[in-house]
Coordinates of all heavy atoms in Angstrom, one line a residue:
M300 N 45.0 -31.5 -19.4 CA 43.9 -30.9 -20.1 C 44.4 -30.2 -21.4 O 45.4 -29.5 -21.3 CB 43.2 -29.8 -19.2 CG 42.0 -29.2 -19.8 SD 41.3 -27.9 -18.7 CE 40.7 -28.9 -17.4
T301 N 43.7 -30.5 -22.4 CA 44.2 -29.9 -23.7 C 43.7 -28.5 -23.8 O 42.8 -28.0 -23.1 CB 43.6 -30.7 -24.9 OG1 42.2 -30.5 -25.0 CG2 44.0 -32.2 -24.8
Q302 N 44.2 -27.8 -24.8 CA 43.8 -26.4 -25.0 C 42.3 -26.3 -25.4 O 41.6 -25.5 -24.9 CB 44.6 -25.8 -26.1 CG 44.3 -24.3 -26.4 CD 45.1 -23.7 -27.5 OE1 46.0 -24.3 -28.0 NE2 44.8 -22.4 -27.8
D303 N 41.8 -27.2 -26.2 CA 40.4 -27.2 -26.6 C 39.5 -27.5 -25.4 O 38.5 -26.9 -25.2 CB 40.2 -28.3 -27.7 CG 40.7 -27.9 -29.0 OD1 41.0 -26.7 -29.2 OD2 41.0 -28.8 -29.8
E304 N 39.9 -28.4 -24.5 CA 39.2 -28.7 -23.3 C 39.1 -27.5 -22.4 O 38.1 -27.2 -21.8 CB 39.8 -29.9 -22.5 CG 39.6 -31.2 -23.3 CD 40.4 -32.3 -22.6 OE1 41.4 -32.1 -22.0 OE2 40.0 -33.5 -22.8
Y305 N 40.3 -26.8 -22.3 CA 40.4 -25.6 -21.4 C 39.4 -24.5 -21.9 O 38.7 -23.9 -21.2 CB 41.8 -25.2 -21.3 CG 42.0 -24.0 -20.4 CD1 41.9 -24.2 -19.0 CD2 42.3 -22.7 -20.9 CE1 42.1 -23.1 -18.1 CE2 42.5 -21.7 -20.0 CZ 42.3 -21.9 -18.6 OH 42.5 -20.8 -17.8
V306 N 39.5 -24.3 -23.2 CA 38.6 -23.3 -23.9 C 37.2 -23.6 -23.7 O 36.3 -22.8 -23.4 CB 39.0 -23.1 -25.4 CG1 37.9 -22.3 -26.1 CG2 40.4 -22.5 -25.5
A307 N 36.8 -24.9 -23.8 CA 35.4 -25.4 -23.6 C 35.0 -25.2 -22.2 O 33.9 -24.7 -21.9 CB 35.3 -26.8 -24.0
K308 N 35.9 -25.4 -21.2 CA 35.6 -25.2 -19.8 C 35.3 -23.7 -19.6 O 34.4 -23.4 -18.9 CB 36.8 -25.7 -19.0 CG 36.6 -25.5 -17.5 CD 37.8 -26.0 -16.7 CE 37.6 -25.6 -15.2 NZ 38.8 -26.0 -14.4
L309 N 36.2 -22.8 -20.1 CA 36.0 -21.4 -19.9 C 34.7 -20.9 -20.6 O 34.0 -20.1 -20.0 CB 37.2 -20.6 -20.5 CG 38.5 -20.8 -19.8 CD1 39.6 -20.0 -20.5 CD2 38.4 -20.3 -18.4
K310 N 34.4 -21.5 -21.8 CA 33.2 -21.1 -22.4 C 32.0 -21.5 -21.6 O 31.0 -20.8 -21.5 CB 33.1 -21.7 -23.8 CG 31.9 -21.3 -24.6 CD 31.9 -22.0 -26.0 CE 30.6 -21.6 -26.8 NZ 29.4 -21.5 -26.2
G311 N 32.0 -22.7 -21.1 CA 30.9 -23.2 -20.2 C 30.7 -22.3 -19.0 O 29.6 -22.0 -18.6
Q312 N 31.8 -21.9 -18.4 CA 31.7 -21.0 -17.2 C 31.1 -19.6 -17.7 O 30.2 -19.1 -17.0 CB 33.1 -20.7 -16.6 CG 33.0 -19.9 -15.4 CD 32.2 -20.5 -14.2 OE1 32.6 -21.6 -13.8 NE2 31.2 -19.8 -13.8
L313 N 31.5 -19.1 -18.8 CA 30.9 -17.9 -19.3 C 29.4 -18.0 -19.6 O 28.7 -17.1 -19.3 CB 31.7 -17.4 -20.6 CG 33.1 -16.8 -20.3 CD1 33.7 -16.5 -21.7 CD2 33.0 -15.5 -19.5
D314 N 29.1 -19.1 -20.1 CA 27.7 -19.4 -20.4 C 26.8 -19.4 -19.1 O 25.7 -18.9 -19.1 CB 27.5 -20.7 -21.2 CG 28.0 -20.6 -22.6 OD1 28.2 -19.5 -23.1 OD2 28.2 -21.7 -23.2
Q315 N 27.4 -20.0 -18.1 CA 26.7 -20.0 -16.8 C 26.6 -18.6 -16.2 O 25.5 -18.3 -15.7 CB 27.5 -20.9 -15.8 CG 27.4 -22.4 -16.0 CD 28.2 -23.2 -15.0 OE1 29.1 -22.7 -14.4 NE2 27.8 -24.4 -14.8
W316 N 27.6 -17.9 -16.3 CA 27.6 -16.5 -15.8 C 26.6 -15.6 -16.6 O 25.8 -14.9 -16.0 CB 29.0 -15.8 -15.8 CG 29.9 -16.4 -14.8 CD1 29.6 -17.1 -13.7 CD2 31.3 -16.3 -14.8 NE1 30.8 -17.4 -13.0 CE2 31.8 -16.9 -13.7 CE3 32.2 -15.7 -15.7 CZ2 33.2 -17.0 -13.4 CZ3 33.6 -15.8 -15.4 CH2 34.1 -16.4 -14.3
N317 N 26.6 -15.8 -17.9 CA 25.6 -15.1 -18.7 C 24.2 -15.5 -18.4 O 23.3 -14.6 -18.3 CB 25.8 -15.3 -20.2 CG 27.0 -14.6 -20.7 OD1 27.4 -13.5 -20.2 ND2 27.7 -15.1 -21.8
A318 N 23.9 -16.7 -18.1 CA 22.6 -17.2 -17.7 C 22.2 -16.6 -16.4 O 21.1 -16.1 -16.2 CB 22.5 -18.7 -17.6
Q319 N 23.2 -16.5 -15.5 CA 22.9 -15.9 -14.1 C 22.6 -14.4 -14.3 O 21.7 -13.9 -13.6 CB 24.1 -16.1 -13.2 CG 23.9 -15.6 -11.8 CD 22.8 -16.4 -11.1 OE1 22.9 -17.6 -10.9 NE2 21.8 -15.7 -10.6
V320 N 23.3 -13.7 -15.1 CA 23.1 -12.3 -15.3 C 21.7 -12.1 -15.9 O 21.0 -11.2 -15.5 CB 24.2 -11.7 -16.2 CG1 23.8 -10.3 -16.7 CG2 25.5 -11.6 -15.5
K321 N 21.3 -12.9 -16.9 CA 19.9 -12.8 -17.5 C 18.9 -13.0 -16.4 O 17.9 -12.3 -16.3 CB 19.8 -13.8 -18.6 CG 20.4 -13.3 -19.9 CD 20.2 -14.3 -21.0 CE 20.9 -13.9 -22.2 NZ 20.7 -14.8 -23.4
D322 N 19.1 -14.0 -15.5 CA 18.2 -14.2 -14.4 C 18.1 -13.0 -13.5 O 17.0 -12.6 -13.1 CB 18.6 -15.5 -13.6 CG 17.7 -15.8 -12.5 OD1 16.5 -15.9 -12.8 OD2 18.1 -16.0 -11.4
W323 N 19.2 -12.4 -13.1 CA 19.2 -11.2 -12.3 C 18.5 -10.1 -13.0 O 17.8 -9.3 -12.3 CB 20.7 -10.8 -11.9 CG 21.4 -11.8 -11.0 CD1 20.8 -12.7 -10.2 CD2 22.8 -11.9 -10.8 NE1 21.7 -13.4 -9.5 CE2 23.0 -12.9 -9.8 CE3 23.9 -11.3 -11.4 CZ2 24.2 -13.3 -9.4 CZ3 25.1 -11.7 -11.0 CH2 25.3 -12.7 -10.0
E324 N 18.8 -9.9 -14.3 CA 18.1 -8.8 -15.0 C 16.6 -9.0 -15.0 O 15.8 -8.0 -14.8 CB 18.6 -8.8 -16.4 CG 20.0 -8.2 -16.6 CD 20.6 -8.3 -18.0 OE1 20.1 -9.1 -18.8 OE2 21.6 -7.6 -18.3
A325 N 16.1 -10.2 -15.2 CA 14.7 -10.5 -15.1 C 14.1 -10.2 -13.7 O 13.0 -9.6 -13.6 CB 14.4 -11.9 -15.5
K326 N 14.8 -10.6 -12.7 CA 14.4 -10.3 -11.3 C 14.4 -8.8 -11.1 O 13.4 -8.3 -10.4 CB 15.2 -11.1 -10.3 CG 15.0 -12.6 -10.3 CD 15.9 -13.3 -9.3 CE 15.6 -14.8 -9.3 NZ 16.5 -15.5 -8.4
A327 N 15.3 -8.1 -11.6 CA 15.4 -6.7 -11.4 C 14.2 -6.0 -12.1 O 13.6 -5.1 -11.5 CB 16.7 -6.1 -11.9
A328 N 13.9 -6.4 -13.3 CA 12.8 -5.9 -14.0 C 11.5 -6.1 -13.3 O 10.6 -5.2 -13.2 CB 12.7 -6.4 -15.4
T329 N 11.3 -7.3 -12.8 CA 10.1 -7.7 -12.0 C 10.0 -6.8 -10.8 O 9.0 -6.3 -10.4 CB 10.1 -9.1 -11.6 OG1 10.2 -9.9 -12.8 CG2 8.9 -9.5 -10.8
A330 N 11.2 -6.6 -10.1 CA 11.2 -5.8 -8.9 C 10.8 -4.3 -9.2 O 10.0 -3.7 -8.5 CB 12.5 -5.8 -8.2
Q331 N 11.3 -3.8 -10.3 CA 11.0 -2.5 -10.7 C 9.5 -2.4 -11.0 O 8.9 -1.4 -10.7 CB 11.8 -2.1 -11.9 CG 13.3 -1.8 -11.6 CD 14.1 -1.6 -12.9 OE1 13.7 -1.7 -14.0 NE2 15.3 -1.1 -12.7
D332 N 8.9 -3.4 -11.7 CA 7.5 -3.3 -12.0 C 6.7 -3.3 -10.7 O 5.7 -2.6 -10.6 CB 7.1 -4.5 -12.8 CG 7.6 -4.4 -14.3 OD1 8.0 -3.3 -14.7 OD2 7.6 -5.4 -15.0
R333 N 7.1 -4.2 -9.7 CA 6.4 -4.2 -8.4 C 6.5 -2.9 -7.7 O 5.5 -2.4 -7.1 CB 6.9 -5.3 -7.5 CG 6.3 -6.7 -7.8 CD 6.8 -7.7 -6.8 NE 8.1 -8.1 -7.2 CZ 9.1 -8.3 -6.4 NH1 9.0 -8.2 -5.1 NH2 10.3 -8.6 -6.8
L334 N 7.7 -2.3 -7.7 CA 7.9 -1.0 -7.1 C 7.1 0.1 -7.7 O 6.4 0.9 -7.0 CB 9.4 -0.6 -7.1 CG 10.3 -1.4 -6.1 CD1 11.7 -1.0 -6.3 CD2 9.9 -1.2 -4.7
R335 N 7.0 0.1 -9.0 CA 6.2 1.0 -9.8 C 4.7 0.9 -9.4 O 4.0 1.8 -9.2 CB 6.4 0.9 -11.3 CG 5.7 1.9 -12.1 CD 6.0 1.8 -13.6 NE 7.4 1.7 -14.0 CZ 8.0 0.6 -14.5 NH1 7.3 -0.5 -14.7 NH2 9.3 0.7 -14.8
E336 N 4.3 -0.4 -9.4 CA 2.9 -0.7 -9.0 C 2.6 -0.2 -7.6 O 1.5 0.4 -7.4 CB 2.7 -2.2 -9.1 CG 1.3 -2.7 -9.3 CD 1.3 -4.2 -9.5 OE1 1.7 -4.6 -10.6 OE2 0.8 -4.9 -8.6
Q337 N 3.5 -0.5 -6.7 CA 3.3 0.0 -5.3 C 3.2 1.5 -5.2 O 2.4 2.1 -4.5 CB 4.4 -0.5 -4.4 CG 4.3 -2.0 -4.1 CD 5.5 -2.5 -3.3 OE1 6.4 -1.8 -3.0 NE2 5.4 -3.8 -2.9
Y338 N 4.1 2.1 -6.0 CA 4.1 3.6 -6.0 C 2.8 4.1 -6.5 O 2.3 5.1 -5.9 CB 5.3 4.1 -6.9 CG 5.3 5.6 -7.1 CD1 5.6 6.5 -6.1 CD2 4.8 6.1 -8.4 CE1 5.6 7.9 -6.4 CE2 4.8 7.4 -8.6 CZ 5.2 8.3 -7.6 OH 5.1 9.7 -7.8
L339 N 2.3 3.6 -7.6 CA 1.0 4.0 -8.1 C -0.1 3.8 -7.1 O -1.0 4.7 -7.0 CB 0.7 3.4 -9.5 CG 1.7 3.8 -10.6 CD1 1.4 2.9 -11.8 CD2 1.6 5.2 -10.9
K340 N -0.1 2.7 -6.4 CA -1.1 2.4 -5.4 C -1.1 3.5 -4.3 O -2.1 4.0 -3.8 CB -1.0 1.0 -4.8 CG -1.5 -0.1 -5.7 CD -1.3 -1.4 -5.1 CE -1.7 -2.5 -6.1 NZ -1.4 -3.9 -5.5
Q341 N 0.2 3.8 -3.9 CA 0.3 4.8 -2.8 C -0.1 6.1 -3.3 O -0.7 6.9 -2.5 CB 1.8 4.8 -2.3 CG 2.2 3.6 -1.5 CD 3.6 3.6 -1.1 OE1 4.4 4.3 -1.7 NE2 4.0 2.7 -0.2
L342 N 0.2 6.4 -4.5 CA -0.2 7.7 -5.1 C -1.7 7.8 -5.1 O -2.3 8.9 -4.8 CB 0.4 7.9 -6.5 CG 0.2 9.2 -7.2 CD1 0.9 10.3 -6.4 CD2 0.8 9.2 -8.6
D343 N -2.4 6.7 -5.6 CA -3.9 6.7 -5.6 C -4.4 6.9 -4.2 O -5.4 7.6 -3.9 CB -4.4 5.4 -6.2 CG -4.2 5.4 -7.7 OD1 -3.9 6.4 -8.3 OD2 -4.3 4.3 -8.3
L344 N -3.8 6.2 -3.2 CA -4.2 6.3 -1.8 C -4.0 7.7 -1.3 O -4.9 8.3 -0.6 CB -3.4 5.3 -0.9 CG -3.7 5.4 0.6 CD1 -5.1 4.9 0.8 CD2 -2.7 4.5 1.3
M345 N -2.9 8.3 -1.6 CA -2.7 9.7 -1.2 C -3.7 10.7 -1.8 O -4.2 11.5 -1.1 CB -1.3 10.1 -1.6 CG -0.7 11.2 -0.8 SD 1.1 11.4 -1.1 CE 1.1 11.9 -2.8
R346 N -4.0 10.5 -3.1 CA -5.0 11.3 -3.7 C -6.4 11.1 -3.1 O -7.1 12.1 -2.8 CB -5.1 11.0 -5.2 CG -3.9 11.5 -6.0 CD -4.1 11.2 -7.5 NE -2.9 11.6 -8.2 CZ -2.5 11.0 -9.4 NH1 -3.2 10.1 -9.9 NH2 -1.5 11.5 -10.0
G347 N -6.7 9.9 -2.8 CA -8.0 9.6 -2.1 C -8.0 10.2 -0.7 O -9.1 10.8 -0.3
A348 N -6.9 10.1 0.0 CA -6.9 10.7 1.3 C -7.0 12.2 1.3 O -7.7 12.9 2.1 CB -5.6 10.3 2.0
D349 N -6.3 12.8 0.3 CA -6.4 14.3 0.1 C -7.9 14.7 -0.2 O -8.4 15.7 0.3 CB -5.5 14.8 -1.0 CG -4.0 14.8 -0.6 OD1 -3.7 14.7 0.6 OD2 -3.2 14.9 -1.6
Q350 N -8.5 14.0 -1.1 CA -9.9 14.3 -1.4 C -10.8 14.1 -0.2 O -11.7 14.9 0.1 CB -10.4 13.4 -2.6 CG -11.8 13.7 -3.0 CD -12.0 15.2 -3.5 OE1 -11.1 15.7 -4.2 NE2 -13.0 15.8 -3.2
A351 N -10.6 13.0 0.6 CA -11.4 12.8 1.8 C -11.1 13.9 2.8 O -12.1 14.4 3.4 CB -11.0 11.4 2.4
W352 N -9.9 14.4 2.9 CA -9.6 15.5 3.9 C -10.3 16.7 3.4 O -10.8 17.5 4.2 CB -8.1 15.7 3.9 CG -7.7 16.7 4.8 CD1 -7.4 18.0 4.5 CD2 -7.5 16.6 6.3 NE1 -7.1 18.7 5.7 CE2 -7.2 17.9 6.8 CE3 -7.7 15.6 7.2 CZ2 -7.0 18.1 8.1 CZ3 -7.5 15.8 8.5 CH2 -7.1 17.1 9.0
K353 N -10.3 17.0 2.1 CA -10.9 18.2 1.6 C -12.4 18.2 1.9 O -13.0 19.2 2.3 CB -10.6 18.3 0.1 CG -11.2 19.6 -0.5 CD -10.9 19.6 -2.0 CE -11.6 20.8 -2.7 NZ -11.5 20.8 -4.1
S354 N -13.0 17.0 1.6 CA -14.5 16.9 1.9 C -14.8 17.0 3.3 O -15.8 17.7 3.7 CB -14.9 15.5 1.4 OG -14.8 15.4 0.0
M355 N -14.0 16.5 4.2 CA -14.2 16.6 5.6 C -14.0 18.0 6.1 O -14.8 18.6 6.9 CB -13.2 15.7 6.4 CG -13.6 15.3 7.7 SD -12.6 13.9 8.4 CE -11.1 14.7 8.7
H356 N -13.0 18.7 5.5 CA -12.8 20.1 5.9 C -14.0 21.0 5.4 O -14.5 21.8 6.2 CB -11.5 20.6 5.2 CG -11.3 22.1 5.4 ND1 -10.9 22.6 6.6 CD2 -11.4 23.1 4.5 CE1 -10.7 23.9 6.5 NE2 -11.0 24.3 5.2
E357 N -14.5 20.7 4.2 CA -15.7 21.5 3.7 C -16.9 21.2 4.6 O -17.7 22.1 4.9 CB -15.9 21.1 2.3 CG -14.9 21.6 1.3 CD -15.0 21.1 -0.1 OE1 -15.9 20.1 -0.3 OE2 -14.3 21.5 -1.0
A358 N -17.1 20.0 5.0 CA -18.3 19.6 5.8 C -18.1 20.3 7.2 O -19.1 20.8 7.7 CB -18.4 18.1 6.0
F359 N -16.9 20.3 7.7 CA -16.7 21.0 9.0 C -17.0 22.5 8.9 O -17.6 23.1 9.8 CB -15.2 20.8 9.5 CG -14.9 21.4 10.8 CD1 -15.3 20.8 12.0 CD2 -14.3 22.6 10.8 CE1 -15.0 21.4 13.2 CE2 -14.0 23.3 12.0 CZ -14.3 22.7 13.2
E360 N -16.5 23.1 7.8 CA -16.8 24.5 7.6 C -18.2 24.8 7.5 O -18.7 25.8 8.0 CB -16.0 25.0 6.4 CG -14.5 25.1 6.6 CD -14.1 26.0 7.8 OE1 -14.7 27.1 7.9 OE2 -13.2 25.6 8.6
R361 N -19.0 24.0 6.8 CA -20.4 24.2 6.6 C -21.1 24.1 8.0 O -22.0 24.9 8.3 CB -21.0 23.1 5.7 CG -20.8 23.5 4.2 CD -21.6 22.6 3.3 NE -21.5 21.2 3.5 CZ -20.6 20.4 2.9 NH1 -19.7 20.9 2.0 NH2 -20.5 19.1 3.1
A362 N -20.7 23.0 8.8 CA -21.3 22.9 10.1 C -21.0 24.1 11.0 O -21.8 24.6 11.7 CB -20.8 21.6 10.7
R363 N -19.8 24.6 10.9 CA -19.3 25.7 11.8 C -20.1 26.9 11.3 O -20.6 27.7 12.2 CB -17.8 26.0 11.6 CG -17.3 27.0 12.5 CD -15.8 27.1 12.6 NE -15.2 27.3 11.3 CZ -14.7 28.5 10.9 NH1 -14.7 29.5 11.7 NH2 -14.2 28.6 9.7
S364 N -20.3 27.1 10.1 CA -21.1 28.2 9.6 C -22.5 28.2 10.1 O -23.1 29.2 10.5 CB -21.0 28.2 8.0 OG -21.8 29.3 7.5
E365 N -23.1 27.0 10.0 CA -24.5 26.8 10.5 C -24.6 27.1 12.0 O -25.5 27.8 12.5 CB -25.0 25.4 10.2 CG -25.3 25.2 8.8 CD -26.4 26.1 8.2 OE1 -27.4 26.3 8.9 OE2 -26.2 26.6 7.1
F366 N -23.6 26.6 12.8 CA -23.6 26.9 14.2 C -23.4 28.3 14.6 O -24.0 28.9 15.5 CB -22.6 26.0 15.0 CG -23.0 24.6 15.1 CD1 -22.2 23.6 14.6 CD2 -24.2 24.2 15.8 CE1 -22.6 22.2 14.7 CE2 -24.5 22.9 16.0 CZ -23.8 21.9 15.4
N367 N -22.6 29.0 13.8 CA -22.4 30.4 14.0 C -23.6 31.3 13.7 O -23.7 32.4 14.2 CB -21.2 30.9 13.2 CG -19.8 30.4 13.8 OD1 -19.8 30.1 15.0 ND2 -18.8 30.4 13.0
K368 N -24.5 30.8 12.9 CA -25.7 31.6 12.5 C -26.6 31.6 13.7 O -27.4 32.5 13.8 CB -26.4 30.9 11.3 CG -25.7 31.2 10.0 CD -26.5 30.5 8.9 CE -25.8 30.6 7.5 NZ -26.5 29.9 6.5
K369 N -26.6 30.6 14.5 CA -27.6 30.5 15.6 C -27.1 31.2 16.8 O -26.3 31.6 17.3 CB -27.8 29.0 16.0 CG -28.4 28.3 14.8 CD -28.6 26.8 15.1 CE -29.2 26.2 13.9 NZ -29.5 24.8 14.1

């Protein structure tokens, strides 16, 4: 193998590795986007659950107040 062939072989390997790294970076970015999306959905769910809990608590307190009047 000549020096030029050897350098070309090494360059080809580096090109493959660079392509693989770009692929991994793209997958990581996609995963981060999905995780961020899931986090926001869970946050919305948590806020909704908190609001539902507050409404339920207020309704319970109103009912208790009405029963205590009688």
Side-chain angles (χ1 to χ4, degrees):
M300 182 180 295
T301 68
Q302 182 179 356
D303 289 339
E304 291 171 334
Y305 184 71
V306 169
K308 179 181 174 182
L309 291 178
K310 185 180 179 318
Q312 184 62 62
L313 286 173
D314 289 343
Q315 285 179 337
W316 289 341
N317 284 332
Q319 185 65 57
V320 167
K321 284 182 182 181
D322 183 50
W323 290 339
E324 288 173 339
K326 287 179 181 178
T329 300
Q331 288 175 349
D332 289 344
R333 274 185 285 138
L334 290 175
R335 185 178 307 114
E336 202 174 292
Q337 288 175 353
Y338 170 76
L339 291 175
K340 284 179 184 176
Q341 288 176 346
L342 187 62
D343 287 344
L344 177 65
M345 205 167 65
R346 286 180 184 157
D349 285 344
Q350 184 59 41
W352 182 261
K353 182 180 175 187
S354 295
M355 204 166 69
H356 177 72
E357 290 170 353
F359 180 81
E360 289 300 318
R361 283 191 306 269
R363 185 168 60 103
S364 176
E365 288 298 317
F366 283 120
N367 286 338
K368 286 180 184 179
K369 296 180 181 183

